[in-house]
């Protein structure tokens, strides 16, 4: 249809939406139409937009996220509408299961636990075990910083992306890449003559790593309030 419309200079515009690293990946099975398509990358959602997702869910489900719980959702989502919706869904169920209409930080922590279980099913067991071993060795910072960059750039990143996303020095960003490359968790991706770009060896690893980091940090933050209640 797109090719026929283009050949006839049809005054029609179609919008195609999908999840892919670039236009080539999005329409790889029909390369003949690439020249007829304008690629528009959708940016990550802002904090205000993620909070709007939370607000929409509150109205639909007759629930209320407290301020800290909403902040946790924003932090975990990293601008992803899918992750934001998934965490809100599980957190809302956790609150309702406890007989409450208010979602607390502990419910968001519970939601992260459930999300990790879901993502684990999409990643080979050896890769999961490798990541968990690095967490146990206290090397979570390099994992989390690199995962943040990967999530912010749709999977392909360089040292500059890690530096910018985490607001760290260029030296620390390069050290993170070298550490994870040495562990064979990163692989070279397309780049230019100046900057080598990388990607995780498993597409789902950045999300799983970030969730695991959030699990430890959210549980730590939620524990005092849970104990107090």
């Amino acid at each position: 249809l797109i090719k026929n419309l283009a050949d006839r200079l049809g005054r029609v515009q179609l919008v195609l939406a999908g999840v892919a690293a670039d236009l080539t990946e999005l329409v790889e099975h029909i390369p003949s139409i690439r020249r007829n398509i304008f690629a528009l990358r959708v940016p990550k959602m802002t904090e205000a937009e993620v909070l709007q997702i939370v607000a929409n869910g509150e109205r639909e489900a007759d629930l209320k996220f407290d301020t800290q719980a909403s902040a946790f959702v924003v932090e975990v989502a990293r601008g992803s509408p899918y992750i934001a919706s998934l965490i809100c869904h599980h957190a809302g169920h956790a609150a309702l299961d406890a007989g409450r209409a208010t979602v607390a930080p502990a419910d968001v922590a519970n939601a992260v636990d459930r999300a990790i279980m879901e993502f684990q099913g999409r990643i080979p067991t050896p890769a999961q075990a490798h990541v968990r071993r690095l967490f146990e060795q206290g090397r979570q910072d390099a994992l989390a910083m690199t995962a943040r960059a990967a999530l912010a750039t749709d999977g392909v990143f360089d040292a500059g992306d890690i530096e910018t996303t985490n607001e760290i020095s260029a030296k620390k960003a390069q050290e993170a890449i070298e550490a994870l490359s040495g562990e064979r968790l990163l692989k070279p991706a397309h780049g230019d003559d100046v900057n080598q770009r990388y990607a995780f060896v498993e597409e789902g690893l950045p999300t799983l790593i970030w969730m695991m980091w959030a699990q430890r940090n959210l549980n730590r933050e939620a524990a005092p309030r849970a104990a107090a209640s």
Side-chain angles (χ1 to χ4, degrees):
L1 174 60
I2 292 175
K3 189 174 187 306
N4 287 336
L5 288 171
D7 290 344
R8 290 166 174 74
L9 300 179
R11 300 189 58 163
V12 178
Q13 289 185 335
L14 303 179
V15 178
L16 307 178
V19 179
D22 51 38
L23 177 62
T24 300
E25 184 178 312
L26 187 62
V27 294
E28 61 181 343
H29 299 301
I30 41 177
S32 63
I33 68 168
R34 289 176 194 159
R35 63 181 177 273
N36 304 124
I37 298 179
F38 173 75
L40 178 64
R41 183 176 293 278
V42 179
K44 296 296 182 182
M45 300 185 81
T46 64
E47 177 177 334
E49 289 171 330
V50 174
L51 289 175
Q52 187 60 53
I53 289 180
V54 177
N56 291 343
E58 288 177 328
R59 287 194 297 270
E60 293 291 333
D62 198 23
L63 286 170
K64 178 64 178 177
F65 280 67
D66 78 12
T67 302
Q68 191 62 50
S70 297
F72 284 168
V73 172
V74 171
E75 181 65 16
V76 175
R78 301 299 298 180
S80 167
Y82 167 68
I83 294 178
S85 298
L86 179 66
I87 295 301
C88 286
H89 172 77
H90 286 318
H93 274 288
L96 291 174
D97 289 345
R100 290 181 278 103
T102 299
V103 179
D107 298 318
V108 179
N110 182 290
V112 172
D113 293 341
R114 297 189 189 187
I116 287 175
M117 293 180 63
E118 291 184 16
F119 282 108
Q120 284 176 337
R122 310 172 191 176
I123 298 173
T125 301
Q128 295 180 40
H130 193 172
V131 167
R132 290 189 180 281
R133 184 164 61 253
L134 293 179
F135 265 91
E136 292 167 0
Q137 292 173 358
R139 301 170 69 182
Q140 65 172 358
D141 287 346
L143 288 165
M145 290 188 299
T146 311
R148 282 192 195 105
L151 292 173
T153 57
D154 295 322
V156 179
F157 57 91
D158 58 23
D161 294 319
I162 298 178
E163 180 183 353
T164 302
T165 305
N166 298 278
E167 299 181 350
I168 59 173
S169 67
K171 180 181 178 182
K172 286 188 176 181
Q174 188 59 43
E175 287 174 349
I177 285 180
E178 292 174 358
L180 297 193
S181 294
E183 294 292 339
R184 298 183 179 180
L185 287 175
L186 299 182
K187 61 183 179 181
H190 57 80
D192 52 38
D193 296 334
V194 179
N195 297 318
Q196 174 62 59
R197 298 181 69 77
Y198 299 87
F200 277 87
V201 293
E202 294 290 341
E203 184 179 353
L205 272 178
T207 303
L208 177 63
I209 289 170
W210 180 246
M211 288 287 185
M212 290 173 63
W213 182 90
Q215 181 186 49
R216 297 178 180 224
N217 285 273
L218 287 183
N219 283 337
R220 189 184 304 126
E221 294 288 342
R225 183 174 296 193
S229 63

